[in-house]
Structures are given as C-alpha cells and as structure tokens.
Amino acid sequence: MRWSRYYLFTSKEVPKEAEIASHKLMIRAGLIRKHSAGIYSYLPALWRSIQKFSNIVREELDRKGAVELQMPAVQPAELWKESGRWYEYGKELLRIKDRHNRDFCFGPTHEEIVTAITRADIRSYKQLPFNLYQIQVKFRDEIRPRFGLLRAREFIMKDAYSFHSTRESLDETYNDMRDAYSRILERSGFKFSVVEAATGAIGGSVSHEFVVFADHGESLVITCPKCGYAANVEKASFYIEPKKYNKVNFEIVPTPGKSRVKEVADFLGVSTDSIVKTLIYKTPEKLIAVAVAGDREVSEEKLRGVLGTQGELADDKTIEDITNAPVGFAGPVGLSEEIELLVDKSAAAIEYFVCGANKKDAHIVGATWDKVGKFKIVDIAEAKKGDKCVRCKSLLKVYRGIEVGHIFKLGTKYSEAMKCYFLDKDGKSKPVVMGCYGLGIGRSVAAAIEQHHDDKGIVWPVAIAPFECVVMPLNTDNTTVVSEAESIYSQLKEKGIDTIIDDRDERAGFKFKDSDLLGFPLKVIVGAKTIKEGKVEIELRKDGSRLEVKTSDVVSKVGEILSDHKNLSLVSVR
RNA sequence: CGGGGCGUAGCUCAGCUUGGUAGAGCGCACGGUUCGGGACCGUGAGGUCGGAGGUUCAAAUCCUCUCGCCCCGACCA
C-alpha cells in the first residue's frame, strides 16, 4: 500500500471527548470516526486490524468444526415474543417499525434467529451436534456508551451457537470453544484471564468470561494467585473466616435517625462487620428479604442466580408495609413470616449481631440466628479486596480488565420456548441443548490498543497490526533513496509481508511521528546517510531498537524478525 | 431518567458577563528557505456562530423552545 494513496490521516490534536488511551489514540491515528454516541465508522487502517483479528477468529473456530453463516441484523418481533425477551430485554433492545407498522428490532444477539433456523431442520439426534457462528454488526442501545469502541452501541461481534442432544456433548463443545478463545487471544498477543461469570440477560447456567487485563477496564476480576481460581466480582465466592465472638445480651436499643450501617456502627460503637444489613427486594412474583454482613454489598448477579429472576430493591412504601418501620430499620429478627428470608454466608457467620428491630428508630444488639424464623443460607455477597480464596484460603487479588468474550451453557431455555426439538435414540422428542459464545471483535481490537501503547502511540501486536512493516524513504528528493525504498517495498510485498510505503512528500520527523502513532511493528528506514554504504535501518516499534542491514539482506531480515514476533505472541501469558 | 457542562473555520478553542466590522493556534493552498524524530517566513482560501422563534435600530452575545454531544449519578437502607 502506498500511504500517499491510502485513506489514513492523523492528527496532532488530542480529542476532547476521549478519556482513555485506546479511544484517544484511535482518533488521533485516524482509525475511527464517530457519527453519534456509540456509533462509529471503522476507517481503512483499523478495518485491516479488524479483518486480521476476524480471520484469526475464523481459523480457530473452523479448527473446532464451527460453521460460519450470516443472519439478519433486523429481526421480527414475533420471534422475540416467542422467547419472551421482547418483554424482558428492556430499553437496550432497539425496537423499530416497518412501513406496515410491524414490530422489528435491531439484533443485539441472535438466539432467537438461530433457533428459528435450526428448528426447521433438526429432526434427529443424528444431526447433532453442530455449531454455527457469524461475525456481524449488533446494536445494543446502551444506557451510556463510552470509551470509544470499548462500549459502543453499534459494534461488531462474533457470535456462535451450538446445538446438542446431550449435556455431555454441550460440555465438550463448551470446552472446545474455551480452548479456541484462549488460542485466539494468545495468537493476537493479549494478556488475559478466563474467569467464572454471571449469566446476565442471556440466561443459562454455567458461563465464563475472557477478560483482557487493562487498568481502565470496566470489569473487576477476582483471582487466586495460588490455586488459579478466577471469577468476575459479580460471581466470585470467597472464604468466610471463622471468628470468635463475645457474648452480647439481647437488647433493643434506641437509634434515633440512624438508618445507615455506618451511622449505626458509629452510634453504637461497633464495627460494621458485626451488623446484619437487611434489604427488601422484589421480583415480579414476590418480596424477598436479604441479609448480608454490614460491611458487604449484595451482588445482584448472584441474587439473580439464587432467585432465577432479576430482583430489584423494593420502594420505600413496600418496605414500610412489610417491616412496620421506615427504611433503615429492617432486620431478620421478628420479620414478618410472609416474606422469604435469604441470609448470606457472611451474615450467617456472625454469632451475636446488630440488626434493625423492624421498628422506627430502634436496633437490636446481641441478636442471634436462633431467634430468627425460617431462613435459607445462600451466597449472595460481593467479594472485595482482602477476601480469601474459597478453595485454598489464599489472599485473593482484584484486577481490572475488559471483557472481550463470554461463553454460556444455555441448556434448553430457548429450544423449549421456541420449540426446537429432536427425536432421540429412544424415539422420544426432546428439546435441543444449546450453548452460545460471544466475542467482541471491535472491543478486542480496542482492548489490544489499551494493552499495547506508549506515550508515542499504539504498539500493535504483529498479528493484528494494520500493516506489519512501513518502508520510510526519508529524503524524497534523493533518487537513490527513493528507488531503493521502492525496490525494498516491492520485494517485501512479493514475499507476502504486509507493507505500507510512506511515499508522502513529508520531512523525516513527520514520518517518524506518524508511524510511531500508528504503531506499525517494524520500520525500514531508507535515508541518504546509510544508503551511500548500501545499508538501511530496521527499527522495532516495541522498544525503538535499531539495526543496520545491507539492502540485499533487508527482506530476509524483516521476515525473520516478524516470524520471531509472531511466535512470541503465541507464548501463553496466563 | 436525574444532575452538570458544551455546541463559533476541517480540528482544538477564545469572544458572550456589559448587544454594534467574527478571532487565534493547528490543518489546508501558493511562494521561498529548510530537510534523520510533528521546521521557519510570507501570502491566501475557509465560518448559515447547532437549529427555530422572540426582544432590539442592531443578536455569536439577552429570552424561549428544540436538537446533538460530553461528564457524573441511577436507588445497597
């Protein structure tokens, strides 16, 4: 590619709307153009990176026997009504009407469509399993798009859906996909972690996230450096350390106006972890009381797992009705029998605790669980810094990262709702067992920049760089320099090395700054100084190191360095 | 959805308080000097001041409405 004829325009200005590195650099390097909140064009250079990453994805999925297809972006409402998600998905689903006033949506994901396809074809267990995938534009009307491609509304995603006659078969494919994702990320030069995750709006039972480490990531990941346990903070379990408690006599004490945990703790002179905090949640069907230790938060994702449905905090009026007290004075002791009580492990472990008295301006001290009616002990508190591993009791670490992939065991949620059945060996009709596997393409590429950049610009991993190599004739008025550069450029292309020549009539410094910003892994510098001796320089973007080589050796040397780097990025970093 | 901020040249922004000829830097075009880490000098092109309405002799500036963008928050007792 000739830079002078390519569509690649950089800028010195630091964009005002961008806050994090990948977003700023993508704008400065001329890789994206924003049209609306969370809606972008991918300009040619970035599109090359996206294509390279997509092709790695294809190679690794094809290797596992997955089959590519393409499904519609605009989907009829009927299918979403069948699965029930037309009513559940909420405002993130972009709903549109056609000229006949019929309802459609712009697909945020494709379980409905893929199930509509397969239910028409699947008859027998003999056809199973199979795994279908596509790389396609999705739309999710996010509450607040931000960070450029990291949280866009329109984005490119690889989504795969597998279909099975048995759970065991699903397990097999699930593990295959897990391997494929790991290979994809390794080949693309990511440092990442595979973590247990909550299933969210997609549904299903088991799921894992692929989280690329980044200081500005939106996901919090808990890992155990000793035994390798890793989970999203929304899902992570932790070890509750047994403590010795001194006996405290049961007593109802006045706590006027002290409704928050911190206030009660200060007022009574106790620590927050000896308080039991009681929250009232509501689901579409019922009210639930939830108790956690005062120094902990409820993980709504964990709660969703226990309830099997999304719960939300009840409004003030409901709380007053059920607890006979204003908000802030609920407690498990003496709570109405009408409401189910879930007690987190963290709260259940406290022998003598402080809690709301279900009475205005009063708390109980010295409460014990034998004074509480029926309750169930569950794991619904969020892990936090300083917690210990549920498996090996080592100190857990908390990392920030970007969730680039998420794989789920869906089970029969969609196949039952949408009647995708097959006839099994025993002659009985059964719902197909499904898995689904998402990987954010644009997000991954943005995450790569987030993970690989310095103060000069992007430092692309070789595998997904827009170009592997840039040839830079520094003195465009020197005919030897120009002709040597052109010759090297043709030879590199000949050898299949992805090369751009910076043939623009610009000064040397300008070209250096631009290619540093763009982050091409290798520069071949052709200048008047060295060409006199029949030499050029090769510079590595990674560390700025240079070596002089004879013009006759450049091509083989470049090939050598690039293959070294490709191999390097294959080394597992977990 | 709630709160805050912004919208003026291709980009980043000043001007608005106190109404009166629309500015700077970068970028762009041309000429000259320069030429291995975002050069310098000169000349020049380029703006319905987000949009609509209003007040006024006169509106980028004041008022009303509206659209868009950015940031923070969205209930944990």
Side-chain angles (χ1 to χ4, degrees):
Chain A
M1 187 54 63
R2 317 191 74 80
W3 198 322
S4 65
R5 299 283 84 214
Y6 198 52
Y7 198 92
L8 180 49
F9 307 105
T10 60
S11 163
K12 268 193 283 194
E13 306 283 354
V14 181
K16 63 169 178 179
E17 81 253 30
E19 295 215 304
I20 63 168
S22 63
H23 192 192
K24 282 183 188 162
L25 288 171
M26 278 197 187
I27 296 172
R28 280 196 57 209
L31 298 177
I32 52 173
R33 184 65 40 82
K34 187 173 81 175
H35 302 287
S36 179
I39 298 181
Y40 293 88
S41 285
Y42 310 103
L43 299 177
L46 186 69
W47 190 243
R48 292 180 73 95
S49 290
I50 288 174
Q51 290 305 318
K52 287 186 179 183
F53 185 68
S54 301
N55 286 333
I56 293 173
V57 170
R58 288 192 176 96
E59 278 174 32
E60 295 301 335
L61 294 190
D62 293 352
R63 190 201 295 275
K64 296 294 188 185
V67 178
E68 186 169 5
L69 83 171
Q70 189 71 204
M71 294 182 268
V74 173
Q75 309 179 9
E78 288 80 74
L79 292 176
W80 285 74
K81 288 176 181 165
E82 265 189 65
S83 73
R85 286 205 293 183
W86 185 257
Y87 313 102
E88 289 165 12
Y89 210 97
K91 287 191 170 174
E92 280 190 20
L93 185 64
L94 179 66
R95 294 155 211 257
I96 45 187
K97 283 183 188 291
D98 73 0
R99 65 198 299 159
H100 305 296
N101 210 33
R102 285 191 289 242
D103 287 320
F104 287 83
C105 64
F106 199 106
T109 174
H110 280 66
E111 284 80 6
E112 282 78 4
I113 293 282
V114 78
T115 307
I117 294 172
T118 56
R119 69 180 172 189
D121 298 316
I122 296 177
R123 301 278 172 266
S124 156
Y125 72 96
K126 292 175 191 166
Q127 292 168 294
L128 301 170
F130 54 81
N131 188 1
L132 298 174
Y133 77 94
Q134 63 174 350
I135 293 176
Q136 196 213 28
V137 170
K138 309 280 186 224
F139 195 96
R140 291 181 188 172
D141 203 354
E142 296 278 350
I143 264 183
R144 192 141 84 86
R146 59 180 129 184
F147 305 141
L149 298 194
L150 286 177
R151 182 170 291 281
R153 291 195 294 171
E154 188 181 295
F155 58 98
I156 302 173
M157 176 167 140
K158 187 286 301 172
D159 46 327
Y161 306 89
S162 68
F163 297 80
H164 310 269
S165 56
T166 64
R167 289 265 162 193
E168 294 68 39
S169 167
L170 170 62
D171 291 347
E172 214 169 284
T173 298
Y174 187 86
N175 290 336
D176 273 355
M177 291 300 273
R178 200 181 147 141
D179 290 349
Y181 274 37
S182 294
R183 281 188 60 97
I184 289 163
L185 296 178
E186 281 163 19
R187 281 182 63 185
S188 310
F190 285 103
K191 296 188 173 73
F192 66 98
S193 180
V194 186
V195 309
E196 291 178 17
T199 50
I202 306 288
S205 49
V206 178
S207 88
H208 284 87
E209 280 173 358
F210 291 75
V211 178
V212 165
F213 299 128
D215 294 340
H216 294 96
E218 292 187 280
S219 299
L220 275 181
V221 165
I222 303 272
T223 62
C224 175
K226 194 149 174 213
C227 73
Y229 176 75
N232 190 303
V233 72
E234 291 172 344
K235 162 95 180 179
S237 294
F238 52 90
Y239 174 68
I240 307 274
E241 206 135 12
K243 272 205 298 201
K244 253 189 74 97
Y245 290 88
N246 294 322
K247 181 167 167 37
V248 181
N249 289 322
F250 185 96
E251 191 185 351
I252 297 178
V253 297
T255 50
K258 310 294 177 193
S259 63
R260 307 189 73 94
V261 168
K262 185 80 178 51
E263 292 167 357
V264 174
D266 291 347
F267 183 74
L268 297 176
V270 297
S271 61
T272 53
D273 62 6
S274 61
I275 292 179
V276 167
K277 175 161 85 175
T278 308
L279 313 175
I280 310 297
Y281 276 85
K282 63 168 188 230
T283 71
E285 294 93 46
K286 54 183 178 178
L287 291 173
I288 317 261
V290 169
V292 294
D295 60 336
R296 300 214 169 253
E297 304 298 343
V298 170
S299 159
E300 294 208 345
E301 287 297 341
K302 283 189 181 179
L303 183 62
R304 185 211 291 261
V306 171
L307 298 176
T309 173
Q310 178 74 47
E312 62 179 76
L313 286 164
D315 55 81
D316 293 5
K317 169 112 185 23
T318 309
I319 294 169
E320 283 178 38
D321 288 350
I322 198 80
T323 65
N324 302 314
V327 172
F329 298 96
V333 181
L335 189 69
S336 161
E337 291 287 328
E338 291 164 36
I339 184 167
E340 190 184 338
L341 176 60
L342 298 176
V343 177
D344 182 68
K345 296 184 303 183
S346 66
I350 310 172
E351 217 177 321
Y352 298 96
F353 56 86
V354 174
C355 65
N358 299 313
K359 196 175 136 192
K360 186 170 169 11
D361 293 340
H363 278 76
I364 297 172
V365 299
T368 48
W369 290 106
D370 57 15
K371 294 217 168 48
V372 178
K374 259 193 4 202
F375 64 89
K376 204 159 97 188
I377 297 179
V378 291
D379 177 5
I380 45 171
E382 203 160 86
K384 60 179 187 181
K385 209 176 158 187
D387 282 337
K388 293 187 173 168
C389 179
V390 68
R391 289 188 195 159
C392 73
K393 299 176 190 170
S394 306
L395 196 61
L396 291 167
K397 291 208 167 214
V398 182
Y399 289 104
R400 246 174 206 290
I402 298 161
E403 176 196 341
V404 296
H406 201 161
I407 60 179
F408 302 83
K409 289 184 187 175
L410 284 179
T412 55
K413 172 173 171 174
Y414 294 93
S415 50
E416 280 184 57
M418 299 186 63
K419 303 191 175 55
C420 181
Y421 284 77
F422 70 100
L423 214 54
D424 208 349
K425 280 178 200 163
D426 54 13
K428 284 187 183 143
S429 184
K430 295 177 183 168
V432 169
V433 179
M434 290 171 63
C436 84
Y437 318 90
L439 182 63
I441 302 288
R443 180 181 279 188
S444 294
V445 172
I449 297 177
E450 202 56 47
Q451 208 169 64
H452 304 287
H453 69 271
D454 61 20
D455 53 347
K456 293 184 206 156
I458 303 166
V459 186
W460 285 111
V462 173
I464 57 173
F467 295 95
E468 296 170 332
C469 177
V470 54
V471 176
M472 302 204 315
L474 294 186
N475 321 90
T476 44
D477 52 351
N478 181 319
T479 51
T480 320
V481 166
V482 172
S483 66
E484 283 296 340
E486 289 289 346
S487 154
I488 291 166
Y489 167 62
S490 328
Q491 292 173 58
L492 286 169
K493 274 207 312 187
E494 190 75 16
K495 218 190 153 190
I497 290 165
D498 203 4
T499 308
I500 185 167
I501 180 166
D502 191 352
D503 60 340
R504 298 173 301 171
D505 187 18
E506 294 289 352
R507 296 158 57 89
F510 190 92
K511 292 187 180 184
F512 278 117
K513 293 289 185 197
D514 255 4
S515 47
D516 284 343
L517 177 60
L518 261 303
F520 306 124
L522 280 187
K523 297 184 190 74
V524 173
I525 303 164
V526 186
K529 278 184 190 170
T530 54
I531 204 71
K532 280 188 289 197
E533 301 156 35
K535 286 180 176 171
V536 296
E537 290 158 289
I538 298 174
E539 182 181 296
L540 294 188
R541 175 63 181 91
K542 209 171 164 180
D543 53 10
S545 64
R546 284 186 184 187
L547 74 164
E548 275 192 11
V549 293
K550 284 193 284 193
T551 50
S552 53
D553 298 340
V554 183
V555 177
S556 60
K557 191 68 195 170
V558 166
E560 208 177 291
I561 295 172
L562 285 176
S563 63
D564 276 2
H565 275 254
K566 279 180 184 161
N567 290 337
L568 265 185
S569 66
L570 270 171
V571 173
S572 170
V573 289
R574 274 172 301 162

